[in-house]
Structure formats: C-alpha cells, structure tokens
Amino acid sequence: MRKLTAMSFVSLDGVMQGPGGPDEDRTQGFEHGGWAVPHFDQDTLDLISALTSRGGALLLGRRTYEIFAATWPLAEADDPIGAKLNGMPKYVASRTLDAVTWPNSTLLTGDVPEAVRELKRAEGDEIQVHGSPGLLQTLLAHDLVDEFRVFTFPVLVGSGTRLFGEGTGPGRLRLTGVTSFGGGVVAGTYARDGKLEYGAMGPETGNW
C-alpha cells in the first residue's frame, strides 16, 4: 500500500488559502493572498525540495492544479522542485475540467475516493497532495491521508479555508519530525496513530 501524504502551508490559526500570492485564490472574497511569502528562507525551501523528492505521484485538486500547471513548467531545468513536479505522474480530481494539459497528468473522474484507493494499492513511491484544500476535505472524510507535513507560519489570517475543515474526523496523530526556521516557520510531520483517546486532568485524578 502506497503512503498518501499531505503537504500544507498554514497560518497559526489554521488557514491554508492563498499562501503564495495575492491572486492565487480569491474564493469567497479572500483578500490575504501571499501571507506566507515573507517568511520563506532558503532552509525552508530546501526542506520542501527534500520532501517533494520523495514523491512518486502528485494528487491535486482543480484549483491547485491550475496554479501549478501555469507556473512550474516555466521553472529552469536545474530547479529541483520544478524538475520533480514536472516529471512525476500527476492525478487531478475535478468535477469541472474536461482535460488536463500539464505533461504526465491524468484527470480522475467518477468516484474520487475509490480512484485514490486504487492509486494507493498500486506499486510506487508515496502519493503527495500539495495544497488542494477542497480535495483534502474529501480525503479526510474518507480516511485516506496517512501523513501530514504541515508548515506553520507565524501569522494570523482570520478568515479563509482551513486545513482541518468539515471533512475532519476524530483521530490521534504522532509527531515524527519537527524543524524550525529563521523566518519563524515550524515544519511538523504527523503520522496517523489510531483512534482518539480521552482522559481527565486535575489534582483529584493524579494527572496534574
């Protein structure tokens, strides 16, 4: 079974909408696009590149696909992230697209969760989801994400689409790695770790 990982840039209050530019995603009047950009440094980019290099396939929602397809083919040949994204197989989940033109891309039609299960059952390196907040809610609702790679930025955005939205169900995560950067970004890797557990705190419980 292939592992499916989700790599997300989020604000401290959980927003993942439009991190990379003013016009990246103005859905529902979002006006804070580009909030992540001032906090990137070379070390952050190096980790993103290293994580991306592990991918065997890319799974994207329609909006993120359109952003990536318009920009990454313009990358220089020696750009490690661009070379990896342009070369690897890409699967696009969309109800509105009729075709995908970025080389090595395939449009997923019909039952998307079942199509993703089929991809996970195939041989190969991990399947990566970058961005794609709408698709992520579907994947979360069907318990298809194995690992979260969350880059948390030291900003409060307020409104906007959040990483853990309506598709999120209860569950436990295990922190498997954490790195902090000079720009204030903290990158944490979390693996799924079973069902949510409960307890109580206070002097009377001994858990204090």
Side-chain angles (χ1 to χ4, degrees):
M1 182 72 74
R2 302 170 80 179
K3 180 168 67 175
L4 190 148
T5 67
M7 185 156 68
S8 306
F9 302 153
V10 303
S11 63
L12 193 59
D13 56 338
V15 174
M16 66 178 297
Q17 185 171 351
D23 296 316
E24 187 175 75
D25 183 358
R26 290 188 176 271
T27 303
Q28 296 183 335
F30 187 70
E31 298 180 348
H32 306 294
W35 51 265
V37 176
H39 301 277
F40 280 107
D41 58 22
Q42 189 57 51
D43 289 337
T44 309
L45 295 173
D46 287 345
L47 179 57
I48 294 169
S49 179
L51 294 173
T52 302
S53 71
R54 301 178 187 177
L58 197 61
L59 175 62
L60 301 172
R62 189 265 304 173
R63 186 178 299 277
T64 300
Y65 164 78
E66 290 179 336
I67 294 168
F68 279 21
T71 55
W72 284 115
L74 305 177
E76 299 292 338
D78 60 353
D79 182 321
I81 299 177
K84 183 66 177 179
L85 295 180
N86 287 324
M88 78 166 82
K90 292 167 281 286
Y91 300 92
V92 185
S94 173
R95 299 186 185 92
T96 57
L97 291 177
D98 296 320
V100 286
T101 58
W102 192 6
N104 306 312
S105 294
T106 300
L107 184 63
L108 297 181
T109 58
D111 187 330
V112 169
E114 183 54 36
V116 173
R117 291 187 190 98
E118 285 294 324
L119 292 175
K120 293 184 68 173
R121 285 192 282 264
E123 295 291 330
D125 292 329
E126 66 184 33
I127 303 166
Q128 297 184 349
V129 181
H130 293 206
S132 307
L135 171 61
L136 273 179
Q137 301 316 304
T138 299
L139 299 177
L140 287 168
H142 289 84
D143 199 26
L144 290 168
V145 181
D146 301 300
E147 185 175 276
F148 299 90
R149 295 167 183 166
V150 183
F151 288 71
T152 303
F153 290 72
V155 297
L156 301 174
V157 177
S159 63
T161 304
R162 284 170 163 74
L163 169 57
F164 295 109
E166 294 181 358
T168 307
R172 194 172 63 220
L173 300 175
R174 175 169 46 88
L175 180 65
T176 62
V178 62
T179 307
S180 60
F181 302 97
V185 179
V186 177
T189 300
Y190 303 86
R192 295 296 302 273
D193 196 31
K195 294 182 179 181
L196 186 63
E197 295 181 348
Y198 303 89
M201 289 188 67
E204 73 280 7
T205 68
N207 295 325
W208 191 252

